[in-house]
């Protein structure tokens, strides 16, 4: 089996194209890695019939200017990742107006005769961190974003998990922090991680206070730390990533949370499982805001590698 993270060898010398679809904006990126990006453009996410053609126009422009060797598409979800499914490459039941059932892969990849890969934004970001960032050299890894939702990209033996779909670990149910009676913001689950520790869940806890004004000593952080540590505990005990990168607006806006989540995780594991680097098992993503767009490039790289096998 080829090393999925080997240096990208592109026979044609052409760059890779990537599209990261996000809830508020989409990023189109052309290049082969963090230090080799020749173009990067943003398209606002409105309705699919407006956003997808705008992205397609950028890809066509790149195609006419020398082309690209492969295309990676990393999208917010939930999305259908099963190539056997009639809805492969489509958006599933997102609350984002107009997007359920949007044909992302058909619209964007169908127009180009190059290998293409499609996955979630967080699986892409995890692949990028493993290629160029905090997960370098690892084959079992998780990338978590704590922002508008809690998304988890979960990589096992070099590939994102599959099954019914992509991982949805942000929606696992974990015990409530003692005394925490704030209602979940997830419309599906009264006590899932996303409903209790995402940006909107934090917003509900803050009752009108701005997150940036809340100090590290504020009691609001205890249930959030506990919830995220519980989720990390579940990850350790299931697929056992060698490291977890945790980012997104809540974590990057509150740098004190990382070491607290780490400590709470060790506490929760209670010595049962040894961790590779216990004091730094949960870390910040090294690629920062570029993890998402570079994730699309990492997916394009994997499409190319698979096409060459
Ligand atoms: P998205 O998931 O849409 O990409 P982000 O990762 O940027 O969004 O996260 C947005 C969330 O981050 C918001 O819900 C907001 O509550 C939260 N946030 C922004 N700034 C801070 C801060 N200083 N401290 C804690 N949370 C913050
Ligand atoms: Zn949920």
């Amino acid at each position: 089996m080829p090393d999925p993270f080997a240096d990208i060898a592109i026979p044609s010398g052409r760059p890779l194209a990537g599209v990261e679809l996000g809830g508020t904006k989409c990023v189109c990126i052309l290049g082969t890695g963090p230090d080799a990006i020749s173009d990067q453009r943003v398209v606002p996410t409105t309705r699919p019939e407006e956003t997808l053609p705008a992205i397609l126009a950028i890809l066509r422009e790149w195609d006419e200017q020398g082309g690209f060797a492969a295309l990676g598409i990393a999208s917010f979800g939930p999305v259908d990742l099963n190539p056997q499914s009639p809805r492969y490459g489509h958006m599933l039941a997102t609350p984002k107006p107009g997007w359920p059932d949007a044909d992302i892969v058909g619209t964007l990849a169908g127009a180009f005769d190059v290998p293409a890969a499609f996955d979630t934004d967080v699986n892409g970001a995890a692949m990028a961190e493993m290629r160029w960032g905090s997960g370098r050299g690892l084959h079992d890894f998780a990338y978590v974003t704590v922002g508008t939702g809690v998304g988890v990209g979960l990589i096992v033996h070099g590939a994102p998990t599959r099954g019914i779909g992509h991982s949805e670990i942000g929606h696992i149910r974990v015990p409530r922090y003692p005394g925490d009676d704030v209602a979940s913001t997830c419309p599906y689950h009264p006590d899932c991680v996303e409903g209790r520790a995402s940006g909107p869940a934090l917003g509900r806890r803050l009752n009108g206070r701005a997150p940036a004004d809340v100090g590290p000593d504020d009691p609001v952080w205890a249930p959030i730390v506990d919830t995220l540590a519980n989720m990390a505990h579940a990850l350790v005990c299931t697929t056992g990533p060698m490291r977890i990168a945790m980012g997104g607006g809540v974590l990057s806006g509150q740098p004190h949370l990382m070491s607290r989540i780490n400590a709470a995780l060790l506490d929760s594991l209670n010595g049962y499982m040894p961790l590779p680097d216990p004091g730094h098992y949960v870390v910040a993503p090294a690629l920062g805001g570029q993890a998402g767009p570079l994730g699309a490039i990492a997916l394009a790289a994997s499409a190319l590698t698979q096409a060459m096998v």
Side-chain angles (χ1 to χ4, degrees), residues 42 142 233 241 253 300:
V42 174
H233 181 138

Side-chain angles (χ1 to χ4, degrees), residues 17-179:
V19 178
E20 184 208 10
L21 292 113
T24 51
K25 66 176 186 347
C26 301
V27 181
C28 302
I29 178 168
L30 188 69
T32 51
D35 304 321
I37 297 168
S38 49
D39 202 353
Q40 182 160 335
R41 299 195 218 165
V42 174
V43 173
T45 309
T46 55
R47 299 185 73 81
E49 55 276 17
E50 184 174 52
T51 305
L52 295 177
I55 294 170
L56 185 59
I58 294 170
L59 294 174
R60 283 198 196 283
E61 202 183 309
W62 289 341
D63 189 41
E64 283 157 17
Q65 292 166 356
F68 43 86
L71 174 64
I73 304 169
S75 178
F76 67 98
V79 285
D80 191 334
L81 298 178
N82 175 7
Q84 264 73 53
S85 160
R87 293 174 86 201
Y88 171 72
H90 287 59
M91 184 65 72
L92 296 176
T94 175
K96 207 164 167 52
W99 283 86
D101 235 12
D103 183 4
I104 298 165
V105 171
T107 310
L108 298 181
F112 306 100
D113 188 20
V114 294
F118 178 55
D119 217 311
T120 62
D121 47 2
V122 277
N123 275 339
M127 300 288 277
E129 285 287 328
M130 291 167 79
R131 211 175 250 287
W132 300 294
S134 61
R136 227 179 298 197
L138 306 179
H139 286 75
D140 293 272
F141 182 72
Y143 173 93
V144 179
T145 177
V146 186
T148 306
V150 175
V152 180
L154 186 56
I155 312 296
V156 177
H157 306 340
T161 60
R162 288 293 189 268
I164 294 169
H166 45 79
S167 78
E168 285 285 4
I169 289 185
H171 290 272
I172 62 167
R173 304 174 75 160
V174 296
R176 272 186 178 268
Y177 185 69

